[in-house]
Amino acid sequence: MTKPKVVLGVSGGIAAYKACELLRRLTESGHDVRVVPTDSALHFVGAATWSALSGHPVSTEVWESVHEVPHVRIGQGADLVVVAPATADMLAKAAHGLADDLLTNTLLTARCPVVFAPAMHTEMWEHPATQENVATLRRRGAVVIEPAVGRLTGVDTGKGRLPDPGEIFEVCRRILARGTATPDLAGRHVVVSAGGTREPLDPVRYLGNRSSGKQGYALAKAAAARGARVTLVEANTGIADPAGVDVVHVGTAVQLREAVLKAAADADAVVMAAAVADFRPAVYATGKIKKKDDGGAPTVELVRNPDVLAELSADRALPGQVVVGFAAETDDVLANGREKLRRKGCDLLVVNEVGERKTFGSEENEAVVLAADGAETPVPYGPKEALAETVWDLVLPRLRSGT
Ligand code: CTP
């Protein structure tokens, strides 16, 4: 079997050294990788390194080995092109179709999925010019991974770091596994909530639940790999931010509601995988609640939290927005699920049975996805990634046409 052909484009940023690790992962997992750096990338990592690690000659120019027409052949023959790091300049060139070196020529001739992993200073990333270029590339079907937040080149920190090479590799692996030229969620914005809310009683105590957030993260990662712009509203999971995903960290149900509704304003789909507390303490004690001398215990009065899923479903931010809920049930799983689907008014409801050893914190899940049109899709026991893919497979035909 021939190895999948990957072009690793490297543009001129300090994060170029991290692309060596991405290259190593790609070659070690059986990919034939051709590295195409830009001239400025070679200021950071030399051609000898790329050549030795990839086992292929490396050039930046279209004028070398002209008889082999590499400026056309490399792109045409690729199964995937990944540009890591992608500088602001590289995104601009790609968005405008410039072709002044081997990498930009390769991008124009490639007909396979293209992934950009941008890395730059926060101001450059946030500049409207860069944001418009990113939007253009995404509209055309490219996967542009959201940069990570953290320490940048100097003492400054912010959004703009190249995501961990392992995460970029994971995005590439998933895209290659799907084998489609254009990722099927390209150009879409999806919102996923994950984790469990915590409702504070006092500065040291809260009411919480046992949701690990793993299913929500699996959904967010799967959507990013399928080309969507993803906003993940995360509550108390402690899981590292995944590559390619915009993460909003929240604590309580009220904060989660606010973040989800804000992100949902321009979303094509919203998936509520978070376990949102139905109740919160009526009063937050600003000081730690103390034991009383009489041996008694305090009574905690609870009030209802807003039902985010029901609100999203009843009051869609956009016509045709797809809303997906989750239902964790302990008894009469399917009957309760059907009733919940009707009550909440969502399009799809992923129903799973929970118990002591089921679902919470585990890597596996088993579910039935109920649809408002009556369809039922059983998902056999398996990794949460598989359930995530099934959810997006079911969301896809329900999305409004056009973007
Ligand atoms: N949900 C929500 N807001 C809440 C409670 C739940 O948006 N205040 C969402 C969850 O994210 C999930 C779905 O509703 O997608 C189902 O949650 P579940 O706890 O099973 O439903 P409840 O409405 O709490 O029903 P009950 O506790 O009566 O079974």
Side-chain angles (χ1 to χ4, degrees):
M1 230 176 77
T2 56
K3 293 176 173 180
K5 286 191 166 51
V6 175
V7 173
L8 171 58
V10 185
S11 53
I14 187 76
Y17 76 92
K18 292 192 192 166
C20 298
E21 169 68 9
L22 176 61
L23 171 57
R24 195 184 59 77
R25 286 191 184 235
L26 286 165
T27 51
E28 282 182 0
S29 55
H31 301 87
D32 180 14
V33 189
R34 183 86 194 233
V35 183
V36 183
T38 62
D39 262 343
S40 41
L42 295 182
H43 288 295
F44 297 96
V45 179
T49 304
W50 300 123
S51 189
L53 288 176
S54 68
H56 285 295
V58 166
S59 65
T60 63
E61 295 297 332
V62 293
W63 310 117
E64 291 162 36
S65 313
V66 175
H67 61 288
E68 290 171 4
V69 212
H71 75 285
V72 178
R73 293 257 168 81
I74 293 176
Q76 282 176 337
D79 296 304
L80 178 87
V81 178
V82 51
V83 185
T87 58
D89 181 63
M90 177 50 60
L91 296 174
K93 282 181 172 159
H96 290 84
L98 300 191
D100 61 356
D101 64 4
L102 189 54
L103 179 52
T104 45
N105 271 273
T106 300
L107 287 170
L108 279 188
T109 49
R111 293 295 175 269
C112 58
V114 178
V115 179
F116 292 92
M120 65 196 74
H121 282 277
T122 310
E123 292 80 1
M124 295 174 85
W125 171 252
E126 287 175 347
H127 194 285
T130 305
Q131 287 301 307
E132 277 172 31
N133 290 332
V134 168
T136 300
L137 292 167
R138 283 181 170 148
R139 204 171 48 248
R140 291 194 198 128
V143 175
V144 184
I145 297 178
E146 288 290 315
V149 178
R151 179 95 188 264
L152 301 173
T153 315
V155 289
D156 45 347
T157 59
K159 189 164 184 176
R161 267 172 74 92
L162 188 74
D164 181 58
E167 300 255 16
I168 304 172
F169 170 71
E170 191 54 26
V171 170
C172 295
R173 194 189 59 75
R174 283 170 182 247
I175 291 173
L176 281 166
R178 291 197 73 75
T180 48
T182 307
D184 53 12
L185 289 173
R188 304 289 187 172
H189 177 211
V190 303
V191 179
V192 177
S193 69
T197 65
R198 290 181 183 171
E199 311 299 319
L201 274 162
D202 68 17
V204 295
R205 302 182 180 96
Y206 59 80
L207 298 179
N209 61 67
R210 295 176 55 196
S211 175
S212 68
K214 286 178 182 166
Q215 186 61 63
Y217 274 66
L219 282 155
K221 286 184 185 182
R226 290 169 76 154
R229 175 162 75 86
V230 183
T231 306
L232 175 64
V233 178
E234 175 278 341
N236 310 300
T237 63
I239 306 176
D241 293 354
V245 170
D246 237 339
V247 186
V248 184
H249 300 278
V250 297
T252 66
V254 169
Q255 290 165 355
L256 183 137
R257 172 184 174 274
E258 196 185 328
V260 168
L261 292 188
K262 187 170 169 221
D266 68 348
D268 297 285
V270 185
V271 180
M272 286 292 297
V276 186
D278 289 321
F279 313 102
R280 66 177 182 277
V283 181
Y284 171 71
T286 51
K288 186 180 170 196
I289 301 167
K290 294 288 195 189
K291 288 189 286 293
K292 298 222 177 72
D293 290 340
D294 64 6
T299 304
V300 177
E301 192 194 333
L302 300 174
V303 291
R304 284 285 285 268
N305 269 329
D307 187 326
V308 189
L309 179 61
E311 191 175 342
L312 281 166
S313 305
D315 196 6
R316 313 256 170 156
L318 292 174
Q321 183 178 70
V322 179
V323 179
V324 183
F326 270 70
E329 302 291 342
T330 51
D331 314 286
D332 287 337
V333 177
L334 276 185
N336 280 331
R338 281 190 204 96
E339 149 61 15
K340 196 167 282 181
L341 175 72
R342 196 193 49 71
R343 183 158 41 86
K344 301 258 188 178
C346 49
D347 302 294
L348 296 168
L349 190 76
V350 184
V351 187
N352 50 42
E353 192 178 343
V354 291
E356 271 307 305
R357 280 185 305 281
K358 280 191 175 154
T359 301
F360 289 122
S362 92
E363 304 295 334
E364 276 86 30
N365 215 343
E366 179 182 1
V368 179
V369 187
L370 305 177
D373 59 19
E376 289 186 10
T377 311
V379 185
Y381 186 76
K384 288 183 172 175
E385 283 72 24
L387 175 56
E389 298 292 354
T390 304
V391 170
W392 294 122
D393 288 346
L394 292 168
V395 165
L396 203 59
R398 293 174 167 83
L399 291 170
R400 70 203 158 96
S401 52
T403 51

